[in-house]
Amino acid sequence: MKILLLDKNHPLITDQLSAKGFVLEEDFTSSYDEVCNKIEQYDGIIIRSRIPLDKNFLEKAQNLKFIARVGAGMENIDIPAAEKLGIQLINSPEGNRDSVAEHVVGMLLILMNRLFIASQEVKNGIWKREENRGDELLGKTVGLIGYGNMGKATAKRLSGFGCKVVFHDILPGLSDEFASQVSLEKLKDTAEILSLHIPLTEETHYLVDEKFISEMKKNFYFVNTARGKNIETKYLVEGLKSGKVKGACLDVLEYEKASFENLEIENEDLQYLLTSEKVIITPHIAGWTHQSKEKLAQVIVDKILISFGN
């Protein structure tokens, strides 16, 4: 089988698949149109996020048997078109669930204990103790939206901090030793920390909007390591200004490019987030550790070999 790699990933993908007889070609620079013009030559494609695989692209890929996404989210792929064409879809959320979970905990600890602010103040000769009094995770009720790989890994960590973890998911019967499944209404009534672990779909686009935030019974901390467009930013900003949202940990932003490589929009809401002491922002790196780079790649290789290895 001939496989096209459109993004740089861990070299074990090339090494292990080549050893099994696959022919791999790398193309990290060609445009969408240039890739479209040659995609019919390939049996498989391995991607991250650089090029969208829309209906037009997939219809030109006449010999494509699989698309492998090194990561979890599949929103850059026209899934109905791929399924109609009989193209197998592969992703690897197992590979970065641990890094996402640790990132969630890390951002919460930094925000709730004012660690970054206090450190910068001391480095600038400012010594404030009362003003930097922290807020403990112990005893907090955490509400997770989504209980797949990322949600479960996050619940495991936070339960170890003495949090009560509840979650809402569209699939039933997912409760385990780390978290209890509840209705969305129950989650809104009890959560003091809200963390998103969902894909971006038509149903989850702007899931957290003005109405959602107003229905949260308690003032709460908000965490998003999922997708920026899962929340309508202007209402998050309103919540931060009013105090309804006590603080926000954002690894993803509504204003990111589809490739996640940078921001494509600047406005007053973004400026508020960038300058507020209530907000921690990282550049879409929650799943981006040295270990996850290797684990993501290994999961992809293993899944390709299960389906297409000899």
PDB file of all heavy atoms in Angstrom, residues 75 145 196 198-210 212 224 226-235 253-256 264-265:
ATOM      1  N   GLU A  75     -12.716  16.844  12.932  1.00  0.00           N
ATOM      2  CA  GLU A  75     -13.588  17.836  12.304  1.00  0.00           C
ATOM      3  C   GLU A  75     -13.061  18.365  10.972  1.00  0.00           C
ATOM      4  O   GLU A  75     -13.813  18.963  10.202  1.00  0.00           O
ATOM      5  CB  GLU A  75     -13.855  19.020  13.260  1.00  0.00           C
ATOM      6  CG  GLU A  75     -12.657  19.895  13.558  1.00  0.00           C
ATOM      7  CD  GLU A  75     -11.855  19.432  14.755  1.00  0.00           C
ATOM      8  OE1 GLU A  75     -12.010  18.261  15.185  1.00  0.00           O
ATOM      9  OE2 GLU A  75     -11.065  20.230  15.264  1.00  0.00           O
ATOM     10  N   ILE A 145     -17.913  17.549  30.649  1.00  0.00           N
ATOM     11  CA  ILE A 145     -18.810  17.307  29.520  1.00  0.00           C
ATOM     12  C   ILE A 145     -18.046  16.414  28.551  1.00  0.00           C
ATOM     13  O   ILE A 145     -17.062  16.836  27.942  1.00  0.00           O
ATOM     14  CB  ILE A 145     -19.225  18.616  28.815  1.00  0.00           C
ATOM     15  CG1 ILE A 145     -19.795  19.614  29.816  1.00  0.00           C
ATOM     16  CG2 ILE A 145     -20.239  18.310  27.713  1.00  0.00           C
ATOM     17  CD1 ILE A 145     -21.104  19.228  30.418  1.00  0.00           C
ATOM     18  N   LEU A 196     -14.426  20.769  29.473  1.00  0.00           N
ATOM     19  CA  LEU A 196     -14.960  20.199  28.237  1.00  0.00           C
ATOM     20  C   LEU A 196     -14.030  19.141  27.663  1.00  0.00           C
ATOM     21  O   LEU A 196     -12.816  19.355  27.562  1.00  0.00           O
ATOM     22  CB  LEU A 196     -15.175  21.291  27.190  1.00  0.00           C
ATOM     23  CG  LEU A 196     -16.095  22.455  27.564  1.00  0.00           C
ATOM     24  CD1 LEU A 196     -16.314  23.369  26.352  1.00  0.00           C
ATOM     25  CD2 LEU A 196     -17.427  21.973  28.117  1.00  0.00           C
ATOM     26  N   ILE A 198     -15.031  17.117  24.554  1.00  0.00           N
ATOM     27  CA  ILE A 198     -15.956  16.739  23.485  1.00  0.00           C
ATOM     28  C   ILE A 198     -15.362  17.096  22.129  1.00  0.00           C
ATOM     29  O   ILE A 198     -14.538  18.003  22.015  1.00  0.00           O
ATOM     30  CB  ILE A 198     -17.309  17.456  23.652  1.00  0.00           C
ATOM     31  CG1 ILE A 198     -17.093  18.964  23.901  1.00  0.00           C
ATOM     32  CG2 ILE A 198     -18.123  16.826  24.769  1.00  0.00           C
ATOM     33  CD1 ILE A 198     -18.360  19.769  24.057  1.00  0.00           C
ATOM     34  N   PRO A 199     -15.790  16.388  21.077  1.00  0.00           N
ATOM     35  CA  PRO A 199     -15.373  16.777  19.722  1.00  0.00           C
ATOM     36  C   PRO A 199     -16.154  18.014  19.266  1.00  0.00           C
ATOM     37  O   PRO A 199     -17.113  18.443  19.930  1.00  0.00           O
ATOM     38  CB  PRO A 199     -15.746  15.550  18.887  1.00  0.00           C
ATOM     39  CG  PRO A 199     -16.921  14.969  19.614  1.00  0.00           C
ATOM     40  CD  PRO A 199     -16.657  15.198  21.080  1.00  0.00           C
ATOM     41  N   LEU A 200     -15.750  18.569  18.141  1.00  0.00           N
ATOM     42  CA  LEU A 200     -16.502  19.669  17.547  1.00  0.00           C
ATOM     43  C   LEU A 200     -17.424  19.103  16.475  1.00  0.00           C
ATOM     44  O   LEU A 200     -16.979  18.574  15.458  1.00  0.00           O
ATOM     45  CB  LEU A 200     -15.555  20.706  16.931  1.00  0.00           C
ATOM     46  CG  LEU A 200     -16.241  21.922  16.310  1.00  0.00           C
ATOM     47  CD1 LEU A 200     -17.021  22.704  17.358  1.00  0.00           C
ATOM     48  CD2 LEU A 200     -15.214  22.830  15.629  1.00  0.00           C
ATOM     49  N   THR A 201     -18.723  19.187  16.727  1.00  0.00           N
ATOM     50  CA  THR A 201     -19.744  18.722  15.791  1.00  0.00           C
ATOM     51  C   THR A 201     -20.816  19.802  15.702  1.00  0.00           C
ATOM     52  O   THR A 201     -20.749  20.818  16.398  1.00  0.00           O
ATOM     53  CB  THR A 201     -20.392  17.409  16.283  1.00  0.00           C
ATOM     54  OG1 THR A 201     -21.109  17.680  17.503  1.00  0.00           O
ATOM     55  CG2 THR A 201     -19.338  16.337  16.547  1.00  0.00           C
ATOM     56  N   GLU A 202     -21.818  19.572  14.861  1.00  0.00           N
ATOM     57  CA  GLU A 202     -22.928  20.518  14.789  1.00  0.00           C
ATOM     58  C   GLU A 202     -23.611  20.660  16.148  1.00  0.00           C
ATOM     59  O   GLU A 202     -24.051  21.750  16.525  1.00  0.00           O
ATOM     60  CB  GLU A 202     -23.954  20.060  13.742  1.00  0.00           C
ATOM     61  CG  GLU A 202     -23.469  20.208  12.299  1.00  0.00           C
ATOM     62  CD  GLU A 202     -24.548  19.829  11.302  1.00  0.00           C
ATOM     63  OE1 GLU A 202     -25.720  19.636  11.715  1.00  0.00           O
ATOM     64  OE2 GLU A 202     -24.225  19.720  10.104  1.00  0.00           O
ATOM     65  N   GLU A 203     -23.676  19.571  16.901  1.00  0.00           N
ATOM     66  CA  GLU A 203     -24.357  19.597  18.193  1.00  0.00           C
ATOM     67  C   GLU A 203     -23.524  20.284  19.273  1.00  0.00           C
ATOM     68  O   GLU A 203     -24.082  20.848  20.213  1.00  0.00           O
ATOM     69  CB  GLU A 203     -24.684  18.167  18.652  1.00  0.00           C
ATOM     70  CG  GLU A 203     -25.753  17.461  17.831  1.00  0.00           C
ATOM     71  CD  GLU A 203     -25.260  17.004  16.467  1.00  0.00           C
ATOM     72  OE1 GLU A 203     -24.024  16.811  16.314  1.00  0.00           O
ATOM     73  OE2 GLU A 203     -26.088  16.855  15.560  1.00  0.00           O
ATOM     74  N   THR A 204     -22.206  20.234  19.157  1.00  0.00           N
ATOM     75  CA  THR A 204     -21.361  20.798  20.217  1.00  0.00           C
ATOM     76  C   THR A 204     -20.794  22.172  19.865  1.00  0.00           C
ATOM     77  O   THR A 204     -20.107  22.778  20.681  1.00  0.00           O
ATOM     78  CB  THR A 204     -20.194  19.859  20.553  1.00  0.00           C
ATOM     79  OG1 THR A 204     -19.325  19.740  19.410  1.00  0.00           O
ATOM     80  CG2 THR A 204     -20.705  18.483  20.959  1.00  0.00           C
ATOM     81  N   HIS A 205     -21.056  22.658  18.649  1.00  0.00           N
ATOM     82  CA  HIS A 205     -20.622  24.008  18.284  1.00  0.00           C
ATOM     83  C   HIS A 205     -21.373  25.002  19.162  1.00  0.00           C
ATOM     84  O   HIS A 205     -22.593  25.017  19.190  1.00  0.00           O
ATOM     85  CB  HIS A 205     -20.912  24.275  16.808  1.00  0.00           C
ATOM     86  CG  HIS A 205     -20.372  25.576  16.307  1.00  0.00           C
ATOM     87  ND1 HIS A 205     -21.082  26.751  16.362  1.00  0.00           N
ATOM     88  CD2 HIS A 205     -19.176  25.889  15.747  1.00  0.00           C
ATOM     89  CE1 HIS A 205     -20.365  27.734  15.853  1.00  0.00           C
ATOM     90  NE2 HIS A 205     -19.199  27.233  15.477  1.00  0.00           N
ATOM     91  N   TYR A 206     -20.622  25.831  19.904  1.00  0.00           N
ATOM     92  CA  TYR A 206     -21.211  26.791  20.849  1.00  0.00           C
ATOM     93  C   TYR A 206     -22.122  26.104  21.870  1.00  0.00           C
ATOM     94  O   TYR A 206     -23.148  26.657  22.275  1.00  0.00           O
ATOM     95  CB  TYR A 206     -21.982  27.889  20.115  1.00  0.00           C
ATOM     96  CG  TYR A 206     -21.124  28.909  19.404  1.00  0.00           C
ATOM     97  CD1 TYR A 206     -21.685  29.767  18.465  1.00  0.00           C
ATOM     98  CD2 TYR A 206     -19.765  29.027  19.668  1.00  0.00           C
ATOM     99  CE1 TYR A 206     -20.909  30.715  17.802  1.00  0.00           C
ATOM    100  CE2 TYR A 206     -18.976  29.961  19.010  1.00  0.00           C
ATOM    101  CZ  TYR A 206     -19.555  30.803  18.072  1.00  0.00           C
ATOM    102  OH  TYR A 206     -18.782  31.734  17.421  1.00  0.00           O
ATOM    103  N   LEU A 207     -21.765  24.904  22.291  1.00  0.00           N
ATOM    104  CA  LEU A 207     -22.532  24.222  23.327  1.00  0.00           C
ATOM    105  C   LEU A 207     -22.636  25.096  24.580  1.00  0.00           C
ATOM    106  O   LEU A 207     -23.694  25.213  25.197  1.00  0.00           O
ATOM    107  CB  LEU A 207     -21.877  22.883  23.677  1.00  0.00           C
ATOM    108  CG  LEU A 207     -22.509  22.130  24.847  1.00  0.00           C
ATOM    109  CD1 LEU A 207     -23.888  21.602  24.458  1.00  0.00           C
ATOM    110  CD2 LEU A 207     -21.610  20.979  25.309  1.00  0.00           C
ATOM    111  N   VAL A 208     -21.489  25.675  24.960  1.00  0.00           N
ATOM    112  CA  VAL A 208     -21.488  26.575  26.116  1.00  0.00           C
ATOM    113  C   VAL A 208     -21.711  27.993  25.600  1.00  0.00           C
ATOM    114  O   VAL A 208     -20.813  28.621  25.039  1.00  0.00           O
ATOM    115  CB  VAL A 208     -20.159  26.468  26.898  1.00  0.00           C
ATOM    116  CG1 VAL A 208     -20.183  27.399  28.115  1.00  0.00           C
ATOM    117  CG2 VAL A 208     -19.924  25.025  27.347  1.00  0.00           C
ATOM    118  N   ASP A 209     -22.944  28.468  25.786  1.00  0.00           N
ATOM    119  CA  ASP A 209     -23.334  29.783  25.296  1.00  0.00           C
ATOM    120  C   ASP A 209     -23.909  30.604  26.458  1.00  0.00           C
ATOM    121  O   ASP A 209     -23.767  30.224  27.631  1.00  0.00           O
ATOM    122  CB  ASP A 209     -24.333  29.665  24.143  1.00  0.00           C
ATOM    123  CG  ASP A 209     -25.567  28.846  24.525  1.00  0.00           C
ATOM    124  OD1 ASP A 209     -25.737  28.522  25.734  1.00  0.00           O
ATOM    125  OD2 ASP A 209     -26.363  28.522  23.623  1.00  0.00           O
ATOM    126  N   GLU A 210     -24.571  31.686  26.153  1.00  0.00           N
ATOM    127  CA  GLU A 210     -25.117  32.556  27.198  1.00  0.00           C
ATOM    128  C   GLU A 210     -26.091  31.788  28.100  1.00  0.00           C
ATOM    129  O   GLU A 210     -26.042  31.896  29.325  1.00  0.00           O
ATOM    130  CB  GLU A 210     -25.818  33.748  26.548  1.00  0.00           C
ATOM    131  CG  GLU A 210     -26.359  34.758  27.551  1.00  0.00           C
ATOM    132  CD  GLU A 210     -27.003  35.949  26.869  1.00  0.00           C
ATOM    133  OE1 GLU A 210     -27.499  35.806  25.734  1.00  0.00           O
ATOM    134  OE2 GLU A 210     -27.014  37.038  27.484  1.00  0.00           O
ATOM    135  N   PHE A 212     -26.325  28.481  28.607  1.00  0.00           N
ATOM    136  CA  PHE A 212     -25.625  27.448  29.383  1.00  0.00           C
ATOM    137  C   PHE A 212     -24.975  28.070  30.617  1.00  0.00           C
ATOM    138  O   PHE A 212     -25.121  27.559  31.738  1.00  0.00           O
ATOM    139  CB  PHE A 212     -24.566  26.774  28.505  1.00  0.00           C
ATOM    140  CG  PHE A 212     -23.947  25.544  29.101  1.00  0.00           C
ATOM    141  CD1 PHE A 212     -24.228  24.285  28.580  1.00  0.00           C
ATOM    142  CD2 PHE A 212     -23.085  25.617  30.184  1.00  0.00           C
ATOM    143  CE1 PHE A 212     -23.659  23.142  29.116  1.00  0.00           C
ATOM    144  CE2 PHE A 212     -22.502  24.484  30.730  1.00  0.00           C
ATOM    145  CZ  PHE A 212     -22.801  23.243  30.190  1.00  0.00           C
ATOM    146  N   ASN A 224     -11.126  24.533  29.082  1.00  0.00           N
ATOM    147  CA  ASN A 224     -11.370  24.001  27.744  1.00  0.00           C
ATOM    148  C   ASN A 224     -10.068  23.535  27.101  1.00  0.00           C
ATOM    149  O   ASN A 224      -9.201  24.338  26.749  1.00  0.00           O
ATOM    150  CB  ASN A 224     -12.046  25.033  26.848  1.00  0.00           C
ATOM    151  CG  ASN A 224     -12.597  24.413  25.570  1.00  0.00           C
ATOM    152  OD1 ASN A 224     -12.550  23.194  25.397  1.00  0.00           O
ATOM    153  ND2 ASN A 224     -13.109  25.237  24.674  1.00  0.00           N
ATOM    154  N   ALA A 226     -10.661  21.119  24.652  1.00  0.00           N
ATOM    155  CA  ALA A 226     -11.316  20.393  23.562  1.00  0.00           C
ATOM    156  C   ALA A 226     -11.159  21.168  22.257  1.00  0.00           C
ATOM    157  O   ALA A 226     -10.139  21.049  21.571  1.00  0.00           O
ATOM    158  CB  ALA A 226     -12.783  20.153  23.913  1.00  0.00           C
ATOM    159  N   ARG A 227     -12.154  21.986  21.918  1.00  0.00           N
ATOM    160  CA  ARG A 227     -12.090  22.823  20.723  1.00  0.00           C
ATOM    161  C   ARG A 227     -12.607  24.214  21.055  1.00  0.00           C
ATOM    162  O   ARG A 227     -13.565  24.370  21.812  1.00  0.00           O
ATOM    163  CB  ARG A 227     -12.916  22.216  19.573  1.00  0.00           C
ATOM    164  CG  ARG A 227     -12.302  20.965  18.960  1.00  0.00           C
ATOM    165  CD  ARG A 227     -11.010  21.279  18.223  1.00  0.00           C
ATOM    166  NE  ARG A 227     -10.419  20.119  17.562  1.00  0.00           N
ATOM    167  CZ  ARG A 227      -9.451  19.377  18.077  1.00  0.00           C
ATOM    168  NH1 ARG A 227      -8.969  19.657  19.281  1.00  0.00           N
ATOM    169  NH2 ARG A 227      -8.957  18.364  17.386  1.00  0.00           N
ATOM    170  N   GLY A 228     -11.977  25.224  20.473  1.00  0.00           N
ATOM    171  CA  GLY A 228     -12.319  26.601  20.796  1.00  0.00           C
ATOM    172  C   GLY A 228     -13.762  26.948  20.508  1.00  0.00           C
ATOM    173  O   GLY A 228     -14.390  27.728  21.241  1.00  0.00           O
ATOM    174  N   LYS A 229     -14.307  26.374  19.448  1.00  0.00           N
ATOM    175  CA  LYS A 229     -15.676  26.708  19.050  1.00  0.00           C
ATOM    176  C   LYS A 229     -16.731  25.920  19.832  1.00  0.00           C
ATOM    177  O   LYS A 229     -17.922  26.030  19.545  1.00  0.00           O
ATOM    178  CB  LYS A 229     -15.851  26.503  17.543  1.00  0.00           C
ATOM    179  CG  LYS A 229     -15.104  27.533  16.706  1.00  0.00           C
ATOM    180  CD  LYS A 229     -15.338  27.339  15.210  1.00  0.00           C
ATOM    181  CE  LYS A 229     -14.741  28.471  14.389  1.00  0.00           C
ATOM    182  NZ  LYS A 229     -13.293  28.588  14.502  1.00  0.00           N
ATOM    183  N   ASN A 230     -16.310  25.165  20.857  1.00  0.00           N
ATOM    184  CA  ASN A 230     -17.289  24.558  21.758  1.00  0.00           C
ATOM    185  C   ASN A 230     -17.925  25.608  22.672  1.00  0.00           C
ATOM    186  O   ASN A 230     -18.966  25.357  23.271  1.00  0.00           O
ATOM    187  CB  ASN A 230     -16.637  23.483  22.639  1.00  0.00           C
ATOM    188  CG  ASN A 230     -16.234  22.240  21.874  1.00  0.00           C
ATOM    189  OD1 ASN A 230     -15.185  21.660  22.153  1.00  0.00           O
ATOM    190  ND2 ASN A 230     -17.034  21.809  20.921  1.00  0.00           N
ATOM    191  N   ILE A 231     -17.294  26.776  22.794  1.00  0.00           N
ATOM    192  CA  ILE A 231     -17.820  27.833  23.643  1.00  0.00           C
ATOM    193  C   ILE A 231     -17.880  29.139  22.865  1.00  0.00           C
ATOM    194  O   ILE A 231     -16.998  29.428  22.046  1.00  0.00           O
ATOM    195  CB  ILE A 231     -16.986  28.021  24.930  1.00  0.00           C
ATOM    196  CG1 ILE A 231     -17.601  29.120  25.814  1.00  0.00           C
ATOM    197  CG2 ILE A 231     -15.527  28.313  24.618  1.00  0.00           C
ATOM    198  CD1 ILE A 231     -17.050  29.150  27.215  1.00  0.00           C
ATOM    199  N   GLU A 232     -18.931  29.911  23.113  1.00  0.00           N
ATOM    200  CA  GLU A 232     -19.084  31.217  22.486  1.00  0.00           C
ATOM    201  C   GLU A 232     -18.337  32.228  23.348  1.00  0.00           C
ATOM    202  O   GLU A 232     -18.775  32.584  24.448  1.00  0.00           O
ATOM    203  CB  GLU A 232     -20.564  31.565  22.355  1.00  0.00           C
ATOM    204  CG  GLU A 232     -20.853  32.618  21.318  1.00  0.00           C
ATOM    205  CD  GLU A 232     -22.319  32.645  20.908  1.00  0.00           C
ATOM    206  OE1 GLU A 232     -23.126  31.834  21.412  1.00  0.00           O
ATOM    207  OE2 GLU A 232     -22.648  33.498  20.068  1.00  0.00           O
ATOM    208  N   THR A 233     -17.206  32.689  22.863  1.00  0.00           N
ATOM    209  CA  THR A 233     -16.251  33.432  23.679  1.00  0.00           C
ATOM    210  C   THR A 233     -16.838  34.694  24.293  1.00  0.00           C
ATOM    211  O   THR A 233     -16.526  35.037  25.444  1.00  0.00           O
ATOM    212  CB  THR A 233     -15.014  33.788  22.837  1.00  0.00           C
ATOM    213  OG1 THR A 233     -14.496  32.601  22.237  1.00  0.00           O
ATOM    214  CG2 THR A 233     -13.942  34.436  23.692  1.00  0.00           C
ATOM    215  N   LYS A 234     -17.666  35.398  23.555  1.00  0.00           N
ATOM    216  CA  LYS A 234     -18.170  36.676  24.083  1.00  0.00           C
ATOM    217  C   LYS A 234     -18.956  36.476  25.374  1.00  0.00           C
ATOM    218  O   LYS A 234     -18.930  37.337  26.262  1.00  0.00           O
ATOM    219  CB  LYS A 234     -19.017  37.394  23.044  1.00  0.00           C
ATOM    220  CG  LYS A 234     -20.283  36.697  22.598  1.00  0.00           C
ATOM    221  CD  LYS A 234     -21.005  37.536  21.536  1.00  0.00           C
ATOM    222  CE  LYS A 234     -22.251  36.846  21.020  1.00  0.00           C
ATOM    223  NZ  LYS A 234     -22.943  37.671  19.984  1.00  0.00           N
ATOM    224  N   TYR A 235     -19.608  35.316  25.517  1.00  0.00           N
ATOM    225  CA  TYR A 235     -20.358  35.063  26.748  1.00  0.00           C
ATOM    226  C   TYR A 235     -19.453  34.566  27.861  1.00  0.00           C
ATOM    227  O   TYR A 235     -19.748  34.781  29.047  1.00  0.00           O
ATOM    228  CB  TYR A 235     -21.507  34.099  26.469  1.00  0.00           C
ATOM    229  CG  TYR A 235     -22.504  34.683  25.495  1.00  0.00           C
ATOM    230  CD1 TYR A 235     -22.743  34.082  24.261  1.00  0.00           C
ATOM    231  CD2 TYR A 235     -23.163  35.879  25.785  1.00  0.00           C
ATOM    232  CE1 TYR A 235     -23.632  34.638  23.354  1.00  0.00           C
ATOM    233  CE2 TYR A 235     -24.053  36.447  24.881  1.00  0.00           C
ATOM    234  CZ  TYR A 235     -24.281  35.820  23.668  1.00  0.00           C
ATOM    235  OH  TYR A 235     -25.155  36.388  22.770  1.00  0.00           O
ATOM    236  N   LEU A 253      -8.887  28.170  21.507  1.00  0.00           N
ATOM    237  CA  LEU A 253      -9.620  29.426  21.359  1.00  0.00           C
ATOM    238  C   LEU A 253     -10.510  29.387  20.131  1.00  0.00           C
ATOM    239  O   LEU A 253     -10.163  28.779  19.110  1.00  0.00           O
ATOM    240  CB  LEU A 253      -8.648  30.608  21.244  1.00  0.00           C
ATOM    241  CG  LEU A 253      -7.829  30.936  22.499  1.00  0.00           C
ATOM    242  CD1 LEU A 253      -6.677  31.871  22.154  1.00  0.00           C
ATOM    243  CD2 LEU A 253      -8.707  31.559  23.580  1.00  0.00           C
ATOM    244  N   GLU A 254     -11.637  30.052  20.236  1.00  0.00           N
ATOM    245  CA  GLU A 254     -12.564  30.154  19.111  1.00  0.00           C
ATOM    246  C   GLU A 254     -11.898  30.762  17.890  1.00  0.00           C
ATOM    247  O   GLU A 254     -12.294  30.506  16.753  1.00  0.00           O
ATOM    248  CB  GLU A 254     -13.760  31.011  19.540  1.00  0.00           C
ATOM    249  CG  GLU A 254     -14.813  31.197  18.474  1.00  0.00           C
ATOM    250  CD  GLU A 254     -15.938  32.114  18.933  1.00  0.00           C
ATOM    251  OE1 GLU A 254     -16.017  32.416  20.141  1.00  0.00           O
ATOM    252  OE2 GLU A 254     -16.741  32.527  18.078  1.00  0.00           O
ATOM    253  N   TYR A 255     -10.858  31.548  18.110  1.00  0.00           N
ATOM    254  CA  TYR A 255     -10.264  32.336  17.033  1.00  0.00           C
ATOM    255  C   TYR A 255      -9.058  31.672  16.375  1.00  0.00           C
ATOM    256  O   TYR A 255      -8.323  32.304  15.617  1.00  0.00           O
ATOM    257  CB  TYR A 255      -9.859  33.712  17.584  1.00  0.00           C
ATOM    258  CG  TYR A 255     -10.955  34.348  18.409  1.00  0.00           C
ATOM    259  CD1 TYR A 255     -10.761  34.661  19.756  1.00  0.00           C
ATOM    260  CD2 TYR A 255     -12.209  34.599  17.856  1.00  0.00           C
ATOM    261  CE1 TYR A 255     -11.772  35.231  20.515  1.00  0.00           C
ATOM    262  CE2 TYR A 255     -13.225  35.167  18.610  1.00  0.00           C
ATOM    263  CZ  TYR A 255     -13.003  35.471  19.938  1.00  0.00           C
ATOM    264  OH  TYR A 255     -14.011  36.019  20.680  1.00  0.00           O
ATOM    265  N   GLU A 256      -8.838  30.383  16.639  1.00  0.00           N
ATOM    266  CA  GLU A 256      -7.740  29.658  16.002  1.00  0.00           C
ATOM    267  C   GLU A 256      -8.032  29.375  14.533  1.00  0.00           C
ATOM    268  O   GLU A 256      -9.183  29.203  14.134  1.00  0.00           O
ATOM    269  CB  GLU A 256      -7.525  28.307  16.691  1.00  0.00           C
ATOM    270  CG  GLU A 256      -6.901  28.360  18.045  1.00  0.00           C
ATOM    271  CD  GLU A 256      -6.818  26.968  18.648  1.00  0.00           C
ATOM    272  OE1 GLU A 256      -5.918  26.198  18.244  1.00  0.00           O
ATOM    273  OE2 GLU A 256      -7.650  26.628  19.516  1.00  0.00           O
ATOM    274  N   GLU A 264      -6.465  33.548  13.922  1.00  0.00           N
ATOM    275  CA  GLU A 264      -6.825  34.218  12.676  1.00  0.00           C
ATOM    276  C   GLU A 264      -7.716  35.429  12.889  1.00  0.00           C
ATOM    277  O   GLU A 264      -7.993  36.176  11.953  1.00  0.00           O
ATOM    278  CB  GLU A 264      -7.520  33.245  11.719  1.00  0.00           C
ATOM    279  CG  GLU A 264      -8.831  32.662  12.226  1.00  0.00           C
ATOM    280  CD  GLU A 264      -9.471  31.726  11.211  1.00  0.00           C
ATOM    281  OE1 GLU A 264      -8.925  31.601  10.085  1.00  0.00           O
ATOM    282  OE2 GLU A 264     -10.511  31.120  11.530  1.00  0.00           O
ATOM    283  N   ILE A 265      -8.183  35.638  14.118  1.00  0.00           N
ATOM    284  CA  ILE A 265      -9.064  36.761  14.430  1.00  0.00           C
ATOM    285  C   ILE A 265      -8.550  37.457  15.688  1.00  0.00           C
ATOM    286  O   ILE A 265      -8.138  36.798  16.640  1.00  0.00           O
ATOM    287  CB  ILE A 265     -10.513  36.286  14.661  1.00  0.00           C
ATOM    288  CG1 ILE A 265     -11.098  35.656  13.397  1.00  0.00           C
ATOM    289  CG2 ILE A 265     -11.405  37.439  15.135  1.00  0.00           C
ATOM    290  CD1 ILE A 265     -12.439  34.988  13.614  1.00  0.00           C
TER     291      ILE A 265
END
